[in-house]
Amino acid sequence: TLGGTLSRDGQVWQLAGSVTGLEVCPELSTSLPNALADHMTLLGSLRAHADFEFNVRCDPVADEPYQFAIDGQLRRGRIDDPRLPFPLSNLSARVRCNNHGFAIEQLTAYNGETSVRLSGHCVGYDPAAGMTVFAEVQHMLLDDRLINALPEQWRSEQKKFLPSGVANATLKLQHDGQKWQPDVRVECVDVAFT
């Protein structure tokens, strides 16, 4: 659905609407204009159904002449990414973005008995923008798939202990525009070391 208004002089306009049942997939980016397609590559291998509402406004005399807001819901999603130890399925999340940045709220996904919860926000859209991400993983299997997805430096440390079993983890990542500051906590539920 789509609706809008236009001032008599044609200077001020507003457009609002909603989209229901959009299929988000890598193939979607190939059908979009280049400027939008470049932003879609950030979604990687995400496949999901999306519903969202949007509002765009132009007022040349305002502090920010162009303003936009998007509020959407992803459901029945899946991510197959070679950097992840396993595909994430049953993904759902709420996504909001506007002139000042974007936020992901209440993201949940599953892989067998492993569950992932994530939220985060980014101030602005510049690559050096500040970003904060919170994640919680429950019933994470410490197996070869997970180990092989780690950076080489971590894999060499892992070989000293050879952990296996089940663990829970919480992660907080903050990016100050220059570097990431991680805070990771792991709870060993049923873990063995060799």
Side-chain angles (χ1 to χ4, degrees):
T1 61
L2 192 63
T5 59
L6 178 66
S7 63
R8 287 181 186 232
D9 62 6
Q11 297 293 311
V12 179
W13 55 267
Q14 180 171 343
L15 189 63
S18 63
V19 175
T20 303
L22 176 68
E23 200 169 318
V24 178
C25 60
E27 296 81 10
L28 175 63
S29 64
T30 61
S31 64
L32 297 173
N34 287 341
L36 290 174
D38 292 344
H39 293 295
M40 287 290 290
T41 59
L42 297 173
L43 299 177
S45 64
L46 172 66
R47 293 182 179 277
H49 294 274
D51 302 325
F52 62 90
E53 296 178 349
F54 64 91
N55 192 323
V56 182
R57 179 176 169 80
C58 174
D59 185 350
V61 299
D63 290 340
E64 289 184 88
Y66 292 95
Q67 297 180 13
F68 74 95
I70 300 172
D71 188 349
Q73 188 77 35
L74 295 176
R75 54 192 164 77
R76 293 193 315 233
R78 180 179 174 92
I79 296 177
D80 292 286
D81 191 306
R83 294 170 295 182
L84 296 174
F86 42 74
L88 295 176
S89 59
N90 257 356
L91 183 143
S92 67
R94 184 169 192 177
V95 180
R96 298 174 191 237
C97 55
N98 58 32
N99 291 54
H100 308 293
F102 67 90
I104 298 173
E105 303 170 354
Q106 304 164 358
L107 183 148
T108 59
Y110 300 89
N111 176 262
E113 295 181 34
T114 303
S115 67
V116 177
R117 295 180 188 272
L118 184 137
S119 64
H121 64 275
C122 184
V123 180
Y125 296 94
D126 187 282
M131 181 182 292
T132 304
V133 177
F134 300 94
E136 177 182 309
V137 180
Q138 295 288 314
H139 207 269
M140 175 175 54
L141 297 177
L142 303 176
D143 60 10
D144 289 340
R145 291 180 303 169
L146 176 65
I147 303 307
N148 291 333
L150 296 174
E152 178 57 40
Q153 179 184 0
W154 291 12
R155 275 185 284 180
S156 62
E157 288 297 315
Q158 174 271 341
K159 291 175 184 174
K160 296 176 183 177
F161 305 102
L162 299 174
S164 63
V166 177
N168 299 329
T170 57
L171 169 71
K172 178 181 179 184
L173 286 172
Q174 288 188 295
H175 191 269
D176 61 7
Q178 301 286 324
K179 59 184 180 214
W180 288 100
Q181 297 291 330
D183 180 5
V184 181
R185 298 174 191 269
V186 177
E187 174 193 3
C188 297
V189 177
D190 183 10
V191 177
F193 299 94
T194 302

